[in-house]
């Protein structure tokens, strides 16, 4: 079969509103700033999101009488979900590991502060022997209210899993988060790298289960510690735990594509050919993103956005863009390409796809709308977020009860607090976005949309013009 060398991938069909230049450095700063708006607990003196205040100060005190303050609310509600929070932490840390050296010193510091805010909380969730705390807040009660986190009067129910009951997914993701974070901090705080295994066991090491998170956690522990026992685990259990499954997805609930890219570094740069199956799966994933490839599986909107049904689509766009850039870097360091059957795909080609996704998010799309709040001249005004849509304590010090917030939820007015850096769920498969607060699948920001985008923006801030 004749091979073609791929330099440009035509994926855009609708007329777009083009920007002559995107300020990726500004977008990077704002993508990191976003995490300050999601903070729970006692806020620090240098808090920049001034419309937020202390919240969740009694978290953990009921029943378990432990301190579970801190951490992040994962989206537009006031619940702390351990699983997506740990994934957010892993992706923030991976962003720093791969692209931190490209960040301006002040933004690298801000990114590390964002990671630290999460890891301080995650360490609390594994502070008791044979127990992991996986969630704070009753989601049903919380979602029945529209109130500021500072006013929360719904039950702050604590959910925990005690050994020997399995908590494989959350425990393994927590292991991954702490291992990746130890690497992110290594250059500025070498002590963070100590006792990685002690910090995550027995919650990861003693639980059994057949989940992609087990391999994901082991892969991060291997990368952080260089311990061959984790390497052996990845090699021996890959087939059993589904590493060979070509699942073209990466997010908080499915690690397959990210796992394969992560482990492929051992093959590409370390010549660990016993892990070749992981690289083969990573190559397959990359080929699935190429519209002209014979193995293309991923859908694009008419305007060129990677699209997966189910809502909060930009979580897929940002994570896939991140993997494209990471894999391109691995390949470029060793002068390798990806063989997609009818095409040979270069690292530049992968970066070109990622850049199209980034530029779409920042405003080069049929709506002419930036999907990052506070970036550009036009961006969502009515995002699905309690703290942003309700007046701040400074502007409205009186308590706003559970149902009293409904007037603000139902209002057609823009949110009073501009949540700078928040990336919403994004448009539908037709590239249309209605800026409707009630349409949470499109208008709700999440930490796990932003986290991988930090690394992506760091790359393009340093490399705005691909060549």
């Amino acid at each position: 079969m004749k091979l073609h060398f791929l330099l440009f991938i035509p994926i855009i069909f609708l007329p777009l509103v083009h920007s002559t230049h995107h300020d990726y450095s500004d977008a990077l700063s704002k993508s990191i700033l976003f995490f300050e708006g999601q903070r729970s607990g006692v806020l620090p003196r240098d808090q920049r999101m001034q419309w937020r205040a202390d919240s969740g100060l009694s978290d953990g005190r009921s029943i378990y009488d432990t301190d579970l303050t801190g951490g992040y609310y994962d989206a537009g509600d006031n619940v702390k979900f351990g699983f997506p929070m740990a994934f957010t932490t892993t992706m923030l840390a991976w962003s720093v590991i791969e692209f931190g050296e490209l960040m301006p010193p002040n933004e690298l510091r801000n990114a590390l502060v964002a990671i630290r805010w999460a890891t301080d909380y995650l360490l609390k969730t594994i502070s008791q022997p044979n127990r992991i705390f996986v969630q704070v807040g009753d989601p049903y009660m919380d979602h029945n209210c529209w109130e500021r986190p500072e006013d929360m009067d719904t039950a702050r129910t604590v959910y925990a899993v005690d050994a020997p009951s399995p908590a494989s997914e959350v425990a393994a993701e927590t292991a991954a988060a702490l291992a990746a974070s130890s690497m992110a901090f290594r250059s500025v705080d070498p002590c963070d790298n100590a006792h990685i295994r002690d910090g995550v066991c027995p919650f990861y090491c003693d639980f059994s289960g057949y989940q992609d998170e087990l391999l994901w956690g082991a892969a991060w522990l291997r990368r952080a510690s260089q311990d061959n026992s984790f390497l052996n685990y990845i090699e021996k259990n890959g087939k059993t735990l589904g590493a060979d499954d070509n699942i073209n997805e990466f997010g908080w609930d499915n690690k397959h594509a990210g796992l394969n890219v992560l482990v492929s570094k051992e093959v590409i740069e370390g010549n660990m050919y016993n892990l070749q199956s992981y690289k083969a799966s990573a190559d397959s994933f990359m080929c699935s993103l190429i519209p002209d490839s014979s193995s293309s599986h991923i859908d694009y909107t008419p305007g060129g956005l990677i699209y997966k049904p189910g809502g909060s689509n930009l979580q897929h766009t940002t994570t896939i863009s991140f993997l494209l850039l990471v894999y391109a870097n691995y390949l470029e360091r060793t002068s390798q390409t990806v063989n997609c059957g009818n095409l040979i795909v270069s690292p530049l080609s992968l970066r070109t796809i990622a850049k199209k996704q980034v530029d779409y998010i920042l405003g080069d799309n049929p709506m002419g709308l930036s999907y990052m709040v506070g970036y550009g001249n036009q961006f969502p005004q009515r995002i699905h977020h309690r703290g942003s849509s309700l007046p701040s304590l400074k502007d409205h010090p009186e308590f706003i009860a559970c149902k009293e917030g409904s007037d603000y939820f139902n209002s057609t007015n823009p949110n009073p607090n501009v949540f700078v850096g928040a990336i919403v769920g994004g448009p539908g498969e037709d590239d249309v976005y209605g800026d409707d607060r009630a349409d949470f699948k499109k208008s709700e920001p999440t930490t796990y949309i932003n986290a991988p985008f930090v690394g992506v923006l760091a790359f393009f801030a340093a490399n705005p013009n691909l060549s």
Side-chain angles (χ1 to χ4, degrees):
M1 180 177 292
K2 186 177 180 181
L3 298 179
H4 301 278
F5 194 80
L6 182 63
L7 292 175
F8 176 75
I9 298 141
I11 60 175
I12 297 178
F13 306 101
L14 285 184
L16 302 183
V17 176
H18 285 287
S19 168
T20 56
H21 172 72
H22 278 300
D23 190 342
Y24 299 113
S25 295
D26 180 52
L28 170 63
S29 299
K30 289 172 178 175
S31 70
I32 300 171
L33 175 62
F34 159 78
F35 290 94
E36 295 191 16
Q38 295 298 106
R39 285 172 170 170
S40 180
V42 178
L43 302 187
R45 293 180 181 177
D46 60 356
Q47 169 79 11
R48 293 176 292 172
M49 288 277 189
Q50 291 295 305
W51 49 270
R52 283 297 322 284
D54 299 348
S55 63
L57 301 185
S58 63
D59 285 358
R61 294 303 179 192
S62 63
I63 302 178
Y64 291 100
D65 192 26
T66 191
D67 177 14
L68 291 176
T69 59
Y72 292 115
Y73 306 115
D74 79 306
D77 54 18
N78 299 324
V79 180
K80 294 191 295 197
F81 294 98
F83 194 18
M85 193 193 307
F87 176 71
T88 292
T89 310
T90 307
M91 294 309 299
L92 273 174
W94 201 2
S95 290
V96 168
I97 292 166
E98 300 291 349
F99 304 109
E101 64 182 16
L102 303 178
M103 297 180 184
N106 62 315
E107 294 307 338
L108 176 58
R109 176 195 172 276
N110 290 333
L112 291 171
V113 167
I115 296 169
R116 174 77 74 182
W117 193 270
T119 56
D120 283 353
Y121 174 81
L122 292 176
L123 288 170
K124 293 178 181 180
T125 68
I126 59 171
S127 62
Q128 296 185 5
N130 301 312
R131 172 178 290 158
I132 182 169
F133 296 103
V134 298
Q135 184 175 314
V136 179
D138 184 317
Y140 298 101
M141 295 180 67
D142 182 89
H143 291 176
N144 195 41
C145 293
W146 195 260
E147 58 185 348
R148 301 176 293 202
E150 295 82 4
D151 286 337
M152 278 187 294
D153 55 358
T154 54
R156 300 300 288 168
T157 307
V158 175
Y159 299 83
V161 179
D162 294 342
S165 299
S168 301
E169 292 182 341
V170 181
E173 187 61 66
T174 301
L178 294 176
S181 297
S182 76
M183 294 185 66
F185 280 104
R186 188 172 291 168
S187 62
V188 295
D189 188 357
C191 293
D192 264 54
N193 191 46
H195 310 302
I196 293 170
R197 187 177 180 120
D198 293 341
V200 299
C201 293
F203 304 101
Y204 172 75
C205 302
D206 283 357
F207 287 162
S208 62
Y210 298 98
Q211 306 288 338
D212 49 314
E213 278 79 18
L214 293 175
L215 289 169
W216 175 247
W220 274 111
L221 288 165
R222 158 65 183 175
R223 184 160 174 181
S225 68
Q226 291 299 298
D227 187 328
N228 285 334
S229 65
F230 296 116
L231 179 64
N232 294 335
Y233 182 90
I234 296 165
E235 180 183 358
K236 293 179 179 178
N237 292 282
K239 188 174 184 62
T240 304
L241 298 180
D244 292 341
D245 298 342
N246 286 324
I247 298 176
N248 300 312
E249 189 172 336
F250 181 48
W252 63 266
D253 61 343
N254 194 316
K255 309 303 187 305
H256 281 89
L259 166 69
N260 291 324
V261 168
L262 177 64
V263 177
S264 291
K265 180 179 172 67
E266 300 256 19
V267 182
I268 297 171
E269 298 182 6
N271 298 320
M272 292 281 189
Y273 295 114
N274 52 330
L275 301 173
Q276 180 64 35
S277 63
Y278 289 91
K279 183 182 181 300
S281 293
D283 283 351
S284 176
F285 175 68
M286 295 300 152
C287 292
S288 75
L289 301 171
I290 311 298
D292 290 343
S293 167
S294 57
S295 54
S296 175
H297 300 110
I298 300 295
D299 292 329
Y300 289 83
T301 67
L305 180 70
I306 290 173
Y307 185 80
K308 283 182 170 289
S312 193
N313 178 64
L314 291 187
Q315 67 176 307
H316 305 297
T317 309
T318 60
T319 54
I320 289 174
S321 297
F322 180 88
L323 293 183
L324 283 162
L325 294 180
V326 170
Y327 206 58
N329 281 358
Y330 294 168
L331 294 171
E332 186 174 70
R333 289 170 195 155
T334 52
S335 302
Q336 296 188 45
T337 56
V338 179
N339 187 337
C340 293
N342 62 321
L343 296 170
I344 298 297
V345 180
S346 68
L348 175 59
S349 299
L350 300 180
R351 289 170 179 151
T352 299
I353 299 174
K355 189 173 188 297
K356 288 182 182 296
Q357 300 307 303
V358 174
D359 290 348
Y360 185 109
I361 291 173
L362 295 181
D364 291 1
N365 57 65
M367 296 287 295
L369 186 71
S370 164
Y371 291 107
M372 175 186 284
V373 176
Y375 178 87
N377 296 322
Q378 296 186 65
F379 50 82
Q381 302 290 320
R382 301 164 188 83
I383 68 173
H384 184 96
H385 189 277
R386 287 158 175 77
S388 171
S389 67
L390 290 155
S392 68
L393 284 176
K394 290 183 178 181
D395 293 334
H396 190 290
E398 294 80 17
F399 178 76
I400 301 175
C402 171
K403 295 301 183 182
E404 292 176 358
S406 298
D407 290 342
Y408 296 96
F409 175 78
N410 293 318
S411 170
T412 58
N413 293 329
N415 288 9
N417 305 309
V418 179
F419 197 171
V420 175
I423 303 173
V424 296
E429 59 186 336
D430 55 0
D431 295 298
V432 173
Y433 181 84
D435 201 11
D436 180 359
R437 191 177 296 116
D439 189 359
F440 65 91
K441 291 184 177 181
K442 292 183 177 180
S443 64
E444 186 172 24
T446 72
T447 57
Y448 44 87
I449 294 177
N450 270 64
F453 211 52
V454 169
V456 171
L457 289 169
F459 175 83
F460 286 113
N463 302 276
N465 300 308
L466 290 179
S467 60

